[in-house]
Amino acid sequence: MPDFTLSPDLVLLQETVRSFAAQELRPRERAAEAARGIDGGVASACETIGLARLELPESLGGAGLGALAGAIVREELGAGDAGAALALDPLGPVLYALRDFGGEDALRAFALPVLEAAGARAILVFDAMPRIHTEGRRAHGTLPWVPADRADLLVVLERERAYVLRDSIACEPVRGTGLRAAGASALRIEGSPVLAEWVSTPCARRTLAHARLHAAALLVGVMRQAAEFSRRYARDRVAFGRPIAHHQALAFLITDMAAAVDAARLLVWEAAWRLDSGLAADEACASAFVECAEASMFVAPNALQILGGHGFMQDHPVEKYLRDARALGLLLGGIDAARDDAERDLLGIAGPVDLGGDDPQGELHAASS
Amino acid sequence: MDLRLDAGLRTRVLRVRALGRERMRPLGLEADRLGRPIPADHPFFAELVRLGLGRTRWSGEDAAEPGGFGARAVVVLAEEMAYWDRGVAVAFPGPGLGEAPLLSLGTAEQRERFLGPFRTPDRPRWGALAMTEPGAGSDVAGIRTAAHREAGGWVLSGAKSFAANASRADWIVVFATVDPGLGRDGHRAFVVERGAPGLGDFHVEHKMGLKAYESTSFTLRDCCVPDANLLGGESAYDRRAGFKGAMRSFNATRPAIAAMAVGMGRAALDESHAFARANGLLGRPRIRDRLANVRRRLRAARLLCWRAAQLADERRPNALEASMAKAVAPAAAFDAAMLGMEILGEVGGRGDSLVEKLFRDAKAMDIVEGTGQIQRIVMARQLVDLPRDREG
């Protein structure tokens, strides 16, 4: 029977990260934004929980957790401070690229050094355009923005291949729309040696699916926090003789924001469950990203709107949620690149359109027709 | 977390699928073409009874809640039924919407009397529920059908609207008020049996869609109902909490109605996708984007239905989640049908396609079992303590 219950271990993890985000990240979100980084105390508290090694295989000293655990942790971190979430996760989605293309050897060669160097950051870019070109064994090109102030490792993902760069990458600080706690730079790659290269369309799709879910889960956290902050504000703020939440136009907006957050979360969970169960997940992960990016552009601007003039001022965090959400949705080629993957199977299927879940319809259709 | 269906439910889905493809969809299209409900003596209904359908969920034991058939199974099967034809699904024999109040509010004797014949029915039998009135739809507290006490029973006077299957029902659970000034506190639920003196003027409404089942209006003219037919007996209404608690059980039907919307939207998506494919439209990103949007929204709606149903299965509060599913799914379904019409274009405009029928059918889902606006009010009560204008 469809069952959304999280295992006790996952509930414990969720609660742990939720209180870490509330106690360590949220109170410092403006400071981290101004400093373009997180302070050492927060980083070491995070180290204690082991967040940077959650999905790393146990054989390499990680916790070996799956996509659902990753999604739950990232929602909580995103609800604290999405920029800090990136800063606290030195490997980020680079883990998936190295793991899916190169296995443990690649993780050992490229991931572990990043985890061992203090403050290091590995960056994954999806470069379908492409903006970076390889000639021989060297790469050239520029990237206008990545949410980091240093790039100790750069994995460039294309539709059919991935390659690893480490040297001759210049970071030029830019202001950044959001996620500033993670930093913001333009990258200039000038003859950077290609340290490893793999060609595999299935691996590229798998990496992209995992990476999209990574960003999607952070977006769920950001929009949940935006919705929650504005909901509380609307209950307290009085105008025309009652809490503004009791004016029906705002009451209905608040209900629709709550529904948007829950729908987005369920799509993320379902996609994560598919990944963890070994089911086809490219479309589900791409769709989850599209939903989260679009829903966050409904929830976050309206959260600001509910606060009115106060929302526009930086005394309240909602303008930051809006900037962070907008920035997250631009990663990995953004919504349109995700649509390409979400729609690919629409071209292929001749029968009923699978709606996910257990695919009771599509699969059973196939079985019965 | 595991979203797999168990083997038993899979088998039931397959059974519904076969019935849906072979019988429900053709019958629904026929009723739509003829513009009238499937008659009560149609052999299809007798066939359903022979198949073991049209029964009550009630096991016959003296328990307020039936066992076995959980809310999630209901939601999954409701979606599949509605995929083939929601109108035909509502026309199925059985105790219908009257079952829930009988189970949650009825005495043991009342359950035996009214649900007993539905345990292994000898022939197609229907039950019905009548709440809506010409002057009170969403504003349930505003019903005016009056209940007056007389020696040995009650006298009901008023008019009821849009009750499914009412003219063919063995009994109708009728909501009336002892004092309109009391709002919901004044409500009483009665089981009015077919042939009761004063029950009449049955009028089958003409609808935009969902024509396979009857939506019936009727009047109660000094209709006498014995004491034994007051649902739950007098004591059930002494404490408001008792009645309210019983009404809360309706939270299991909202996810099922929402799931029906998902099924209808899925049918529209499949039809329009097949049309787009056959006509070489899938190469157009504009078409593909919109199909993918509909698919994603239906998928989210299905997950919201499943979640609300799981909470119901676990006897946990689900007012917010049930209303959320009901607020989201019908809009997604209607948009699926609207998009289908656009993809079919003038072929849709001819008025003789399944997509066009779904376009007319789907709109109702945002109205029945609480409009989208009412669902938002319920949600807002949970989220921001939205006050009630009137105790209702």
Side-chain angles (χ1 to χ4, degrees):
Chain A
M1 209 59 78
D3 186 353
F4 297 93
T5 312
L6 300 178
S7 70
D9 286 353
L10 277 187
V11 172
L12 184 64
L13 181 65
Q14 184 181 42
E15 285 166 358
T16 305
V17 182
R18 185 172 293 172
S19 63
F20 169 74
Q23 286 160 24
E24 305 290 340
L25 300 185
R26 206 168 296 135
R28 295 180 175 86
E29 60 190 347
R30 288 301 187 183
E33 192 175 41
R36 300 170 66 101
I38 41 172
D39 71 46
V42 175
S44 61
C46 179
E47 184 70 21
T48 317
I49 308 175
L51 292 183
R53 288 178 168 79
L54 276 186
E55 289 167 275
L56 195 69
E58 286 178 279
S59 54
L60 297 177
L65 296 178
L68 181 60
I72 281 161
V73 165
R74 266 160 222 125
E75 175 182 334
E76 297 305 329
L77 292 175
D81 180 352
L86 295 179
L88 289 165
D89 184 11
L91 280 180
V94 160
L95 168 77
Y96 312 129
L98 294 173
R99 182 187 68 192
D100 295 344
F101 280 96
E104 284 203 10
D105 288 346
L107 287 170
R108 221 181 291 277
F110 299 112
L112 296 187
V114 171
L115 287 174
E116 281 152 17
R121 291 282 304 282
I123 308 295
L124 178 80
V125 294
F126 176 53
D127 194 30
M129 306 270 262
R131 294 157 299 184
I132 305 171
H133 300 270
T134 51
E135 287 173 24
R137 299 291 292 171
R138 293 196 179 266
H140 304 266
T142 58
L143 294 169
W145 165 66
V146 296
D149 276 346
R150 54 189 277 188
D152 299 83
L153 195 73
L154 180 65
V155 174
V156 181
L157 178 68
E158 296 175 353
R159 283 264 170 226
E160 293 171 3
R161 70 165 179 165
Y163 56 93
V164 180
L165 309 175
R166 188 180 58 211
D167 307 312
S168 305
I169 301 169
C171 293
E172 294 165 6
V174 295
R175 184 171 60 181
T177 290
L179 308 171
R180 285 185 196 151
S185 306
L187 297 189
R188 212 173 55 247
I189 296 121
E190 295 170 332
S192 176
V194 176
L195 303 179
E197 180 187 11
W198 303 277
V199 177
S200 163
T201 304
C203 288
R205 287 186 179 169
R206 191 167 173 73
T207 297
L208 205 44
H210 276 281
R212 287 209 174 103
L213 207 59
H214 184 281
L218 287 170
L219 276 163
V220 173
V222 175
M223 64 176 133
R224 176 185 101 194
Q225 181 59 22
E228 184 59 17
F229 191 94
S230 56
R231 180 181 75 91
R232 288 201 197 129
Y233 181 90
R235 278 164 49 143
D236 294 341
R237 174 84 178 185
V238 173
F240 306 103
R242 52 183 141 155
I244 59 173
H246 295 176
H247 295 286
Q248 215 170 52
L250 283 196
F252 283 17
L253 180 60
I254 289 164
T255 61
D256 290 353
M257 289 162 68
V261 173
D262 281 12
R265 178 188 300 110
L266 289 174
L267 288 179
V268 166
W269 282 21
E270 195 242 349
W273 168 75
R274 295 184 78 85
L275 281 173
D276 289 342
S277 307
L279 299 167
D282 292 354
E283 180 271 326
C285 292
S287 292
F289 179 86
V290 173
E291 181 71 22
C292 290
E294 291 203 330
S296 72
M297 286 301 100
F298 163 68
V299 172
N302 278 311
L304 193 156
Q305 185 73 18
I306 287 169
L307 270 77
H310 287 295
F312 202 66
M313 305 303 151
Q314 300 199 313
D315 302 328
H316 288 293
V318 283
E319 63 82 28
K320 177 179 178 295
Y321 301 147
L322 175 54
R323 289 183 291 107
D324 285 349
R326 183 59 283 182
L328 280 168
L330 303 177
L331 297 173
L332 302 164
I335 292 175
D336 279 345
R339 281 195 203 286
D340 288 341
D341 289 304
E343 294 169 16
R344 194 182 308 113
D345 68 337
L346 282 180
L347 285 166
I349 45 180
V353 179
D354 164 18
L355 280 198
D358 187 24
D359 182 17
Q361 278 67 37
E363 187 191 318
L364 290 176
H365 260 292
S368 65
S369 56
Chain B
M1 173 167 167
D2 188 351
L3 301 182
R4 264 180 289 257
L5 307 185
D6 58 54
L9 183 53
R10 259 168 195 282
T11 309
R12 288 208 292 272
V13 171
L14 280 177
R15 238 182 267 147
V16 169
R17 177 153 305 155
L19 187 71
R21 180 183 288 125
E22 288 156 27
R23 304 303 310 275
M24 292 175 71
R25 184 161 288 171
L27 275 168
L29 287 165
E30 183 186 81
D32 190 64
R33 207 163 41 242
L34 298 174
R36 58 174 159 77
I38 305 171
D41 59 0
H42 194 288
F44 175 63
F45 294 134
E47 187 187 323
L48 291 177
V49 168
R50 280 196 299 278
L51 287 171
L53 296 164
R55 299 182 176 190
T56 175
R57 296 186 287 142
W58 183 53
S59 60
E61 286 151 34
D62 186 19
E65 293 294 339
F69 221 59
R72 274 170 290 180
V74 168
V75 155
V76 169
L77 294 171
E79 182 193 315
E80 187 62 27
M81 299 251 275
Y83 178 86
W84 298 105
D85 199 284
R86 199 255 169 181
V88 175
V90 177
F92 269 32
L97 290 174
E99 185 176 48
L102 266 164
L103 286 171
S104 55
L105 205 58
T107 62
E109 184 267 340
Q110 287 168 336
R111 283 198 289 270
E112 181 56 48
R113 247 177 88 206
F114 299 114
L115 292 179
F118 288 87
R119 276 209 298 273
T120 47
D122 49 337
R123 56 174 175 80
R125 291 174 179 277
W126 285 267
L129 175 117
M131 174 79 85
T132 297
E133 298 182 357
S138 294
D139 185 8
V140 168
I143 59 169
R144 288 290 178 273
T145 294
H148 294 293
R149 222 169 183 336
E150 295 217 339
W154 294 78
V155 177
L156 306 183
S157 317
K160 289 289 178 184
S161 310
F162 315 153
N165 300 322
S167 83
R168 60 187 69 185
D170 290 0
W171 43 256
I172 309 167
V173 173
V174 170
F175 282 77
T177 178
V178 292
D179 179 354
L182 293 176
R184 279 199 158 185
D185 282 344
H187 286 195
R188 300 287 184 274
F190 300 91
V191 185
V192 180
E193 294 170 83
R194 183 211 293 276
L199 170 67
D201 302 328
F202 288 102
H203 169 71
V204 176
E205 301 285 352
H206 296 283
K207 291 177 285 193
M208 178 185 181
L210 297 176
K211 294 174 194 267
Y213 74 93
E214 52 157 308
S215 294
T216 301
S217 303
F218 60 89
T219 53
L220 299 144
R221 294 177 199 272
D222 295 331
C223 176
C224 296
V225 177
D227 270 334
N229 290 26
L230 173 64
L231 213 49
E234 267 306 317
S235 58
Y237 304 89
D238 289 349
R239 288 171 301 109
R240 172 161 165 71
F243 184 55
K244 240 178 116 180
M247 296 303 289
R248 199 169 293 136
S249 68
F250 278 38
N251 280 1
T253 46
R254 260 177 272 157
I257 300 286
M260 287 182 171
V262 174
M264 296 163 82
R266 187 157 60 79
L269 173 62
D270 282 354
E271 282 297 303
S272 39
H273 175 260
F275 182 92
R277 188 182 163 83
N279 290 278
L281 301 177
L282 285 178
R284 301 186 191 174
R286 205 178 281 165
I287 298 277
R288 250 186 2 248
D289 278 358
R290 290 194 287 173
L291 283 170
N293 280 348
V294 158
R295 175 197 207 175
R296 202 176 63 249
R297 289 180 62 202
L298 289 171
R299 182 202 292 251
R302 172 190 276 176
L303 293 168
L304 288 168
C305 293
W306 288 3
R307 179 183 65 162
Q310 178 173 0
L311 290 170
D313 280 338
E314 292 168 353
R315 300 276 173 270
R316 289 158 66 192
N318 74 342
L320 175 63
E321 292 81 2
S323 284
M324 198 180 275
K326 178 66 179 65
V328 167
F334 185 65
D335 285 356
M338 291 268 275
L339 172 62
M341 285 295 277
E342 283 197 38
I343 288 177
L344 266 65
E346 290 162 347
V347 175
R350 284 162 55 95
D352 55 4
S353 61
L354 176 57
V355 164
E356 191 270 346
K357 174 176 177 294
L358 286 163
F359 156 73
R360 285 182 288 106
D361 288 354
K363 188 70 199 80
M365 304 311 287
D366 204 24
I367 298 167
V368 298
E369 194 64 25
T371 62
Q373 289 69 35
I374 292 297
Q375 304 305 332
R376 284 170 174 83
I377 285 172
V378 174
M379 289 164 71
R381 283 181 190 146
Q382 302 287 319
L383 288 168
V384 294
D385 301 318
L386 185 73
R388 294 159 195 265
D389 288 338
R390 164 175 61 180
E391 191 51 35

